[in-house]
Amino acid sequence: MTTTKRSAIVTGSAQGIGRAIATRLAEDGLAVTLADLSGNVASLEAAAMEITKAGRTCRIATADVSSTADVDKLVADHVAAYGGIDVMVANAGIAVTALFEETTVEIIDRTMAINVRGVFNSYKAASSEMIKQGRGGRLIAAGSVSAHKGGEWQCAYVASKFAVRGFNQTVALELAKYGITANIYSPRVIKTPMWDAIDEVVTTKEGKPRGSQWDKMLPNIPMRRTGVPEDVARVVSFLASNDSGYVTGQSLIVDGGIYMV
């Protein structure tokens, strides 16, 4: 067992925002477990290699966040490897792009299983260890601007993110007495494979050129650029740090100024 001062798990960290978060937390000095589905092991290994080459500490693991058994094992193995857990980043999620009239019960069930039950499983397993450790902790989940307002083409996704936001607020209220905070980060237009997939579906359905969905977003961003995963990772770095100890139950929007609350 390797004991480090602080450690973190990041789910859905084989690519995109999750990979950027894992890399940033490792740069911050945390020992990190990068977790994703078993089909993404090659990408996990590549991400881990970059982190270790920079002299940071990490390991990889596979888990389906919708499975309670998988997440319980993920957390138990992390604790065995690093002597505890201080930060859980429940980043794993999906976005099925479909208009409401095309959304099926199967789409709803799959989205809720991963986006909502996945956060529940992650928070539950991690907070149980944090309470036993008695030194507090950070629970952090992937929200979205879609946790604050509806949007076309994303009926199931929006519903799941509203659920995550409400769930997170309740956890924040109940676990504050243990020194455990719970917050979500809420991006919008971030250049990731997920957004590329959304663009592909929407432009195909509307008979428009690939990339035009992206182009439509840019004029609405006050900062005049789309986001990158590192923009989100910097926010998560703060939420995972000791500096955020008096911040809980919040949704920090990372969208260049599109949606202001």
Side-chain angles (χ1 to χ4, degrees), residues 138-153:
R138 303 283 181 264
L139 302 175
I140 307 168
S144 171
V145 171
S146 294
H148 295 263
K149 63 188 291 292
E152 294 179 312
W153 295 94

Side-chain angles (χ1 to χ4, degrees), residues 21-218:
I21 291 170
T23 300
R24 176 54 189 262
L25 294 183
E27 290 173 357
D28 290 344
L30 282 75
V32 181
T33 293
L34 292 84
D36 214 303
L37 295 170
S38 57
N40 295 329
V41 168
S43 295
L44 280 175
E45 290 175 341
M49 185 176 296
E50 286 186 5
I51 291 171
T52 55
K53 276 185 176 180
R56 310 303 183 185
T57 303
C58 74
R59 57 187 291 277
I60 66 170
T62 59
D64 176 349
V65 297
S66 69
S67 165
T68 302
D70 275 16
V71 177
D72 285 349
K73 184 177 186 303
L74 171 66
V75 172
D77 289 350
H78 175 92
V79 170
Y82 294 130
I85 179 170
D86 300 283
V87 180
M88 167 58 82
V89 183
N91 173 75
I94 61 168
V96 180
T97 303
L99 292 170
F100 170 69
E101 59 264 34
E102 299 169 349
T103 299
T104 64
V105 170
E106 289 75 20
I107 290 173
I108 292 288
D109 288 349
R110 180 168 173 251
T111 301
M112 292 296 180
I114 296 170
N115 292 5
V116 183
R117 191 195 311 155
V119 173
F120 171 81
N121 286 337
S122 299
Y123 274 23
K124 187 80 167 179
S127 65
S128 177
E129 290 293 334
M130 291 172 182
I131 291 168
K132 285 190 290 185
Q133 290 167 184
R135 61 175 186 257
R138 303 283 181 264
L139 302 175
I140 307 168
S144 171
V145 171
S146 294
H148 295 263
K149 63 188 291 292
E152 294 179 312
W153 295 94
Q154 294 294 334
C155 172
Y157 182 77
V158 169
S160 73
K161 293 304 180 179
F162 264 82
V164 167
R165 184 172 162 227
F167 169 70
N168 181 80
Q169 289 180 356
T170 300
V171 171
L173 287 170
E174 294 188 2
L175 299 190
K177 63 187 177 184
Y178 300 110
I180 298 171
T181 64
N183 295 288
I184 67 176
Y185 50 96
S186 292
R188 187 166 184 189
V189 188
I190 307 294
K191 187 64 176 174
T192 63
M194 179 183 286
W195 253 103
D196 288 336
I198 292 170
D199 177 85
E200 181 178 4
V201 172
V202 174
T203 55
T204 299
K205 289 276 190 179
E206 294 183 343
K208 296 178 179 177
R210 285 288 303 275
S212 59
Q213 187 70 8
W214 271 104
D215 295 340
K216 186 170 71 175
M217 298 289 181
L218 190 58

